[in-house]
Structure formats: C-alpha cells, structure tokens
C-alpha cells in the first residue's frame, strides 16, 4: 500500500545503523544516506527521531544455530551510531538486545509520551530488525510506514520478500523522497 498520509505526530525510527553493522564504505551506505535525509526532514519539523542500536546477542538456541554463541561479547565501538546520521542531542536513543526495537526497551512508552501515532522505519536488516520492529509496531497499534529504499539486508532474497510480501500487509510503503515530500506538504 502506498503512503496515503502523514499523521500529526509521526516518528522516524532508524534501526541498527551503527559501526559494527553499517560502517562507512559498506554496502549499506545508500541506506545510511537516505536515513540521514529522513532524519534531517523530521528534525527540521520538530518531529521525533529515534536512533536504535543493538548491543547484545540474544541468548538461546536460535542464536546458537546461526553460529553465534550465547553470551558473546561484541567488540568495542560495535554499537556506536554511524557519524553520517548526524545524531543530534534532541534525538531519542533506544538500545535493543533482541530483533525488535520494542522488545524490553521502553520504546512504546517513549513514543506514547511524545504523542506518536505513526512510525516511519528505516535501517538494517530488512528481514530481521526492521521487519520485527514493524510487526511489533502494528501489534502496538501504530500506523506503520516503511521507507523501502532506506533499508537493506545482507540477503537480497530476504530483503525482497519483506518488501514485496510482508510489508504491504503491515503498513504503507514509500521511498525516502515520497516520505519527505509528504512530511513537507503536511507541516
């Protein structure tokens, strides 16, 4: 479903654009650039920007099956946000330890405290952190918008599956330019 409207109080949620996942010079550079443009547009209009990072490996057998041992300690700097996002003091920060930015983070309370009814999602990985967060946002009752050109996945097949099959069932999809134009037109 294409973007139809921007609510009075949307929030941008940028997922896992951090040094250990999307450093400068990585294949995720276009995602970082488009996410930064969206963040600038939201900031320009005084709308919430939530920068999410991950700093732990979820415990359990499912992580072990992917070759990651429970209790793995991530390297120093792994969770640092990429500089290209231009993080500002007014940006809200959420650190997650699971796939979804909602799980055990207080994100829902943070959004409700700011009067947010709509979330725009960007980041990596499309089929993991972005999709899990989108599903949780729907479960929490948010109007979900997915900036499909401002997200990517190391696995192109998973990315395409999420964008083409899953996201149209969860919310509205749009490009960075379409979202920025809608934000500008409604402010």
């Amino acid at each position: 479903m294409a973007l139809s409207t921007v609510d009075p109080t949307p929030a941008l949620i940028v997922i896992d654009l951090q040094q250990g996942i999307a450093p400068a010079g990585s294949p995720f550079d276009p995602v970082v650039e488009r996410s930064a443009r969206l963040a600038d547009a939201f900031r320009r209009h005084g709308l919430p920007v939530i920068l999410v990072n991950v700093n732990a490996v979820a415990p359990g057998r499912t992580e072990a099956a992917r070759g990651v041992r429970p209790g793995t300690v991530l390297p120093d700097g792994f969770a640092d946000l990429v500089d290209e996002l231009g993080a500002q003091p007014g940006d809200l920060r959420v650190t997650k330890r699971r796939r979804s930015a909602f799980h055990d983070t207080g994100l829902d309370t943070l959004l409700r405290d700011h009067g947010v009814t709509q979330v725009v999602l960007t980041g990596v990985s499309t089929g993991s952190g972005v999709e899990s967060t989108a599903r949780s946002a729907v479960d929490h009752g948010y109007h979900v918008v997915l900036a499909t050109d401002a997200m990517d996945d190391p696995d192109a097949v998973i990315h395409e599956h999420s964008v083409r099959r899953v996201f149209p069932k969860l919310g509205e999809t749009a490009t960075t330019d379409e979202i920025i134009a809608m934000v500008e037109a409604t402010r």
Side-chain angles (χ1 to χ4, degrees):
M1 181 183 330
L3 182 60
S4 62
T5 190
V6 173
D7 290 0
T9 309
L12 176 67
I13 302 176
V14 180
I15 301 168
D16 298 348
L17 296 184
Q18 60 193 66
Q19 293 298 330
I21 297 172
S26 79
F28 298 125
D29 283 354
V31 172
V32 172
E33 184 273 326
R34 291 177 185 124
S35 296
R37 286 182 43 226
L38 282 161
D40 288 344
F42 273 65
R43 290 177 190 123
R44 192 169 43 253
H45 293 286
L47 299 171
V49 173
I50 295 104
L51 303 175
V52 178
N53 67 346
V54 59
N55 75 351
V57 175
R61 292 178 14 207
T62 56
E63 297 301 324
R66 293 184 327 176
V68 178
R69 291 192 333 243
T72 297
V73 176
L74 301 173
D76 286 344
F78 181 90
D80 295 347
L81 296 169
V82 295
D83 294 337
E84 294 81 2
L85 285 177
Q88 299 296 305
D91 293 343
L92 306 168
R93 308 286 179 105
V94 170
T95 297
K96 66 186 180 85
R97 290 160 187 80
R98 304 291 189 269
R99 292 175 194 260
S100 173
F102 282 91
H103 186 82
D104 286 339
T105 64
L107 176 58
D108 181 49
T109 300
L110 183 68
L111 293 170
R112 293 191 192 287
D113 287 350
H114 283 82
V116 171
T117 57
Q118 181 180 41
V119 294
V120 176
L121 302 178
T122 75
V124 295
S125 292
T126 309
S128 184
V130 177
E131 185 175 317
S132 295
T133 300
R135 289 175 182 274
S136 293
V138 169
D139 289 345
H140 282 86
Y142 294 98
H143 174 194
V144 176
V145 178
L146 298 128
T148 56
D149 66 342
M151 60 181 66
D152 204 353
D153 195 289
D155 186 322
V157 172
I158 290 173
H159 172 79
E160 285 301 314
H161 175 76
S162 294
V163 169
R164 303 239 182 264
R165 301 273 191 186
V166 177
F167 292 166
K169 296 174 184 175
L170 298 178
E172 297 180 325
T173 59
T175 66
T176 297
D177 289 339
E178 290 167 340
I179 295 166
I180 291 172
M182 186 77 75
V183 167
E184 299 290 342
T186 59
R187 300 292 162 243

